[in-house]
Amino acid sequence: MSLLELKNVKKTYNMGKEIQVEALKGISFSIEEGSYTSIMGHSGSGKSTLLQIMGCLDRATDGDIIINGTAVKKMNDFQLAHFRNKTIGFVFQSFNLIGNLTALENIELPMIYAGVSRSERRKKAMELLKIVGLEEPEERGHHRPSQLSGGQQQRVAVARALANDPAMILADEPTGNLATNQWRIILDIFRKLNESGKTIVVVTHDPLVGNEASRIITLEDGKMIDDRIISDKAEKIVDEKR
Amino acid sequence: MEILMEAFRSLGKNKVRTFLSMLGIVIGVIAVIVAIAIGAGTTANVTARISSLGSNVIIVTPGFSGGFGGRSAAALTSVLQETDVQNIKNMAPDVADVTPVLQKSFTIIYGATNTVANVFGAYPDAFSILALPIQYGRLITQQDEQNYANVAVIGNTLATTLFGNRDPVGQTVIVTTGNVKVSFTIVGELQETGGKLTFDPDNMLMIPYTTASARLIQLNGGVSEILASAKSAETAANAVSEINNILYMRIANSNVYQSQSANQYRVVSQNAILSTVSATTDVLTLLLASVAAISMIVGGIGIMNIMLVSVSERTKEIGIKMAMGATGRRIMMEFLVESMFITIVAGAIGVGFSYLIAFLVTYLASGLGLMVIVTWPSIALSFGVSVIIGIFFGLYPAYMASKKSPVEAVRYE
Ligand SMILES: Nc1ncnc2c1ncn2[C@@H]1O[C@H](COP(=O)(O)OP(=O)(O)OP(=O)(O)O)[C@@H](O)[C@H]1O
Ligand SMILES: [Mg+2]
């Protein structure tokens, strides 16, 4: 069964005074449980817009999004908040950690909203810091984001995305602000998570990042122009060279 | 619980701003509490003064224009008569003591010193009715009264004016006006009273009624005013109506005043004055407090302003939290708790400062007779109002925060 299904999804931004931007012009595909998908395309092709709609951060102007068999259209904001909390973990290009909270407190945030007890939160957050491989988690866990490197911050952000054990990780240019060795670490984490059964969707314009996935969806000007499944490593490398 | 920690943290991050936003409420709370405290203090003060008139005093004055003050009453006299005093004594069962009063300003001369003061002619009962204690010498007696004696009891201040540090008892003063000239021997000096609302015994020369009516203030049987005391506080109202009836009957029967008898005199008990005064000070307190309350509202608007700035500054944070699954309701609570936290702390600081100010004012201005009494209701009121202001003026910014769309907020840089 597919975890998420898009049916002719459109998104139009009203820029006031009759100026409208059609960011998505009818997108349809479905995401299978346990899959690893990347969404690629040039800047302005609508990748972020699509990801936001998939993650219920925004509503589509038209079309249907069905998650676990439920139409998002029929859900109210309160239900959507719950859904984001339990089912989706977000990773952003600019990390988006909250500056006046420590790394551990940032990771605990989604658990607070889920009503997890204090002691359990702390324990889980520490576990997650170890999973994402933050160096000296006992100490760094109490640091604020500004005291961590970009790569460390992004690992904390990934740990936060995993806090409530969501079914799906949505990442928008997760490596965009990172040095090569750092983004390698993030992609390794994603691969391991996928191997352990998590559904992963990564938005990127970088083929090296996109090729990590087993499926690549390509957008251009708000339309889906390519959707291919890559089954073996050889094909990926060929793709990379092209 | 987390919400409280969160509020504490984000307020702590912006200490100066938090402090400034508190300031308005702090000042407002201080203003309300101190205003009410001054009102309460004034009431207590005036009440004490009225009560010091003596127990259950009843004052009968002619007309309205005379007011309670006897000074201008001489001009209006003849309305009240000596016979009224006799009638009250005989026919008013709830009246304990009664005395006519003749009162007028005279020049008083001792040696080379002279001054103007009120001469107060009344029965010896006046001392007990007005609760005037003697300091040196003796009071005027029934015998002085019968003998038309030229003796006087002098008020504390007047004694100092005329005699300086010398003992006034046994000295002779001359009381004069126009070509009238009467000498009196001082037999006693009163304790300082600090004024008794309408009388100032400290600055009076008290003489027997008979002497006053025969030698100084001739009103042909008329009197300046009548002082009486009720047998008890409970019977004071009855005593007032008995006196009223007696006066009404007499004046209604003498056709001279028939037409306007009701307006010719006024009978007031100490209790009645008390309630009138406390009603007046209540209105005054209310007025002061409402002016002060306005400053609390201004403080509330300040908080709203700062919360709105804070909401827009933290747009990104709000968006991230929403992306992590915070509901609008949760975001709203966070901001509401913040503004309530500000006002509660500000309220507490305000209460603390009010106590300090009340203490200082009472301490420094005790000589002026200014009293400041901080009352529990005023604390509860201002504290409650500041919490309500926190909710009321925090509601709109919190609502604005909760209505942010998670995308807009996340995209915000
Ligand atoms: N909030 C918005 N209001 C108006 N137009 C918007 C808004 N968000 C995106 N757009 C427009 O929609 C189109 C798609 O934007 P989107 O951010 O999805 O592109 P993208 O593929 O993520 O680009 P990039 O690789 O640069 O991040 C663009 O033309 C953009 O200008
Ligand atoms: Mg983008």
Side-chain angles (χ1 to χ4, degrees):
Chain A
M1 195 189 110
S2 50
L3 181 62
L4 187 146
E5 200 179 341
L6 302 178
K7 288 183 187 161
N8 199 26
V9 167
K10 293 180 184 170
K11 178 70 186 179
T12 308
Y13 290 109
N14 288 315
M15 306 283 288
K17 291 204 175 169
E18 289 159 31
I19 305 167
Q20 295 189 326
V21 180
E22 258 190 282
L24 298 177
K25 299 172 179 171
I27 306 272
S28 305
F29 62 82
S30 53
I31 300 281
E32 300 306 316
E33 209 166 337
S35 64
Y36 189 163
T37 310
S38 63
I39 297 173
M40 300 194 58
H42 296 296
S43 182
S45 55
K47 305 184 295 291
S48 296
T49 305
L50 180 60
L51 197 78
Q52 282 156 8
I53 286 173
M54 287 168 71
C56 301
L57 288 177
D58 206 356
R59 288 179 186 273
T61 314
D62 199 10
D64 287 309
I65 300 113
I66 290 140
I67 301 172
N68 279 335
T70 314
V72 168
K73 238 192 236 177
K74 297 211 176 90
M75 286 164 44
N76 62 27
D77 288 349
F78 189 80
Q79 290 168 315
L80 286 186
H82 265 282
F83 176 76
R84 287 194 296 266
N85 184 235
K86 300 274 191 197
T87 315
I88 297 174
F90 289 98
V91 179
F92 303 95
Q93 175 170 358
S94 51
F95 323 135
N96 281 350
L97 296 172
I98 290 173
N100 58 340
L101 300 182
T102 65
L104 283 170
E105 286 166 343
N106 264 287
I107 298 168
E108 286 179 44
L109 207 57
M111 293 190 264
I112 291 177
Y113 303 142
V116 179
S117 78
R118 175 181 284 269
S119 55
E120 218 168 307
R121 285 197 315 251
R122 206 17 75 99
K123 214 175 97 209
K124 182 84 190 279
M126 193 51 88
E127 263 168 41
L128 287 168
L129 272 186
K130 285 170 186 159
I131 288 175
V132 298
L134 189 74
E135 301 84 353
E136 302 163 44
E138 304 284 349
E139 190 195 326
R140 290 233 163 76
H142 297 284
H143 287 185
R144 292 182 192 251
S146 57
Q147 296 166 300
L148 299 173
S149 77
Q152 289 169 335
Q153 285 186 55
Q154 195 62 305
R155 271 177 276 161
V156 172
V158 172
R160 183 180 62 180
L162 293 169
N164 285 333
D165 204 13
M168 183 161 62
I169 301 282
L170 299 181
D172 192 347
E173 306 273 12
T175 57
N177 283 0
L178 299 180
T180 325
N181 62 333
Q182 289 295 322
W183 67 247
R184 212 42 274 171
I185 296 174
I186 298 294
L187 291 181
D188 284 345
I189 296 171
F190 280 172
R191 175 144 30 79
K192 279 192 197 124
L193 288 173
N194 180 238
E195 278 161 8
S196 71
K198 289 252 180 291
T199 308
I200 294 180
V201 179
V202 176
V203 158
T204 182
H205 62 266
D206 186 340
L208 281 176
V209 176
N211 280 340
E212 285 286 315
S214 50
R215 177 188 184 189
I216 300 176
I217 289 171
T218 310
L219 297 187
E220 195 176 294
D221 197 19
K223 280 180 276 203
M224 191 164 86
I225 55 159
D226 193 29
D227 180 3
R228 76 172 79 169
I229 311 281
I230 305 159
S231 43
D232 62 69
K233 197 87 186 162
E235 213 175 319
K236 279 185 193 172
I237 292 162
V238 170
D239 216 61
E240 228 165 76
K241 279 180 182 159
R242 262 202 309 230
Chain B
M1 193 57 220
E2 271 79 29
I3 294 183
L4 225 105
M5 294 287 294
E6 195 109 340
F8 190 73
R9 189 158 21 213
S10 58
L11 289 175
K13 210 176 59 166
N14 246 318
K15 290 190 189 66
V16 174
R17 184 195 289 178
T18 305
F19 170 74
L20 287 177
S21 58
M22 281 181 182
L23 212 55
I25 295 292
V26 171
I27 292 170
V29 168
I30 292 175
V32 169
I33 294 179
V34 170
I36 293 174
I38 289 173
T42 310
T43 307
N45 207 339
V46 173
T47 304
R49 271 165 167 266
I50 296 170
S51 305
S52 77
L53 265 176
S55 49
N56 313 311
V57 174
I58 295 167
I59 304 168
V60 186
T61 49
F64 281 113
S65 51
F68 303 132
R71 256 138 276 188
S72 59
L76 287 159
T77 40
S78 339
V79 180
L80 300 173
Q81 302 283 324
E82 276 174 37
T83 51
D84 295 330
V85 177
Q86 286 313 311
N87 290 340
I88 290 168
K89 196 172 245 170
N90 299 334
M91 304 194 297
D94 289 312
V95 171
D97 293 314
V98 61
T99 173
V101 175
L102 286 171
Q103 213 182 171
K104 205 179 162 193
S105 246
F106 287 92
T107 304
I108 298 167
I109 307 169
Y110 171 72
T113 323
N114 71 78
T115 183
V116 174
N118 240 24
V119 172
F120 182 96
Y123 294 165
D125 287 340
F127 293 99
S128 65
I129 293 174
L130 291 175
L132 296 174
I134 195 84
Q135 187 170 20
Y136 304 115
R138 63 171 178 85
L139 290 173
I140 288 165
T141 61
Q142 207 55 50
Q143 208 146 12
D144 297 328
E145 189 65 41
Q146 277 157 18
N147 296 342
Y148 292 69
N150 283 3
V151 294
V153 167
I154 193 167
N156 191 281
T157 313
L158 184 59
T160 311
T161 311
L162 288 176
F163 303 104
N165 291 331
R166 262 163 297 171
D167 182 5
V169 178
Q171 306 288 345
T172 302
V173 295
I174 296 162
V175 174
T176 172
T177 182
N179 47 16
V180 182
K181 213 173 219 182
V182 185
S183 57
F184 286 88
T185 305
I186 310 285
V187 294
E189 181 182 343
L190 292 177
Q191 276 177 28
E192 190 178 348
T193 63
K196 296 212 172 226
L197 190 68
T198 60
F199 301 96
D200 184 9
D202 290 348
N203 222 0
M204 276 194 316
L205 196 67
M206 310 190 71
I207 61 174
Y209 178 79
T210 48
T211 318
S213 70
R215 312 228 163 95
L216 287 174
I217 310 168
Q218 280 110 356
L219 294 173
N220 299 325
V223 299
S224 305
E225 50 194 55
I226 297 171
L227 282 177
S229 59
K231 285 194 169 135
S232 70
E234 291 74 43
T235 56
N238 284 344
V240 166
S241 55
E242 286 161 15
I243 293 172
N244 255 323
N245 286 339
I246 290 165
L247 291 173
Y248 181 82
M249 295 291 276
R250 199 266 297 156
I251 292 170
N253 286 338
S254 71
N255 44 21
V256 187
Y257 299 108
Q258 206 161 24
S259 51
Q260 339 106 335
S261 57
N263 291 336
Q264 293 301 313
Y265 59 88
R266 187 174 154 121
V267 186
V268 225
S269 69
Q270 176 193 308
N271 291 349
I273 303 173
L274 270 180
S275 58
T276 310
V277 167
S278 74
T280 313
T281 51
D282 281 355
V283 169
L284 214 82
T285 305
L286 196 70
L287 205 78
L288 270 172
S290 28
V291 170
I294 290 173
S295 73
M296 286 184 83
I297 291 173
V298 172
I301 294 170
I303 284 178
M304 175 146 94
N305 199 2
I306 283 176
M307 291 310 291
L308 280 173
V309 170
S310 165
V311 166
S312 100
E313 259 186 8
R314 282 151 66 189
T315 300
K316 193 169 186 70
E317 181 187 321
I318 295 166
I320 295 168
K321 284 178 173 172
M322 284 178 154
M324 298 302 131
T327 57
R329 206 182 300 164
R330 162 91 196 192
I331 298 290
M332 186 154 171
M333 278 308 291
E334 278 184 20
F335 280 90
L336 212 52
V337 165
E338 246 177 67
S339 58
M340 275 172 68
F341 190 87
I342 291 178
T343 49
I344 288 174
V345 172
I349 294 174
V351 170
F353 268 104
S354 309
Y355 266 108
L356 193 72
I357 288 171
F359 174 76
L360 284 179
V361 168
T362 310
Y363 180 74
L364 295 174
S366 55
L368 303 174
L370 187 65
M371 277 207 268
V372 180
I373 300 172
V374 176
T375 56
W376 277 107
S378 75
I379 290 176
L381 178 82
S382 58
F383 203 76
V385 168
S386 66
V387 172
I388 289 169
I389 280 179
I391 295 173
F392 184 79
F393 288 99
L395 215 52
Y396 177 68
Y399 176 78
M400 294 298 280
S402 76
K403 280 298 155 213
K404 282 191 185 292
S405 140
V407 217
E408 293 301 326
V410 170
R411 194 182 288 126
Y412 185 93
E413 287 299 337

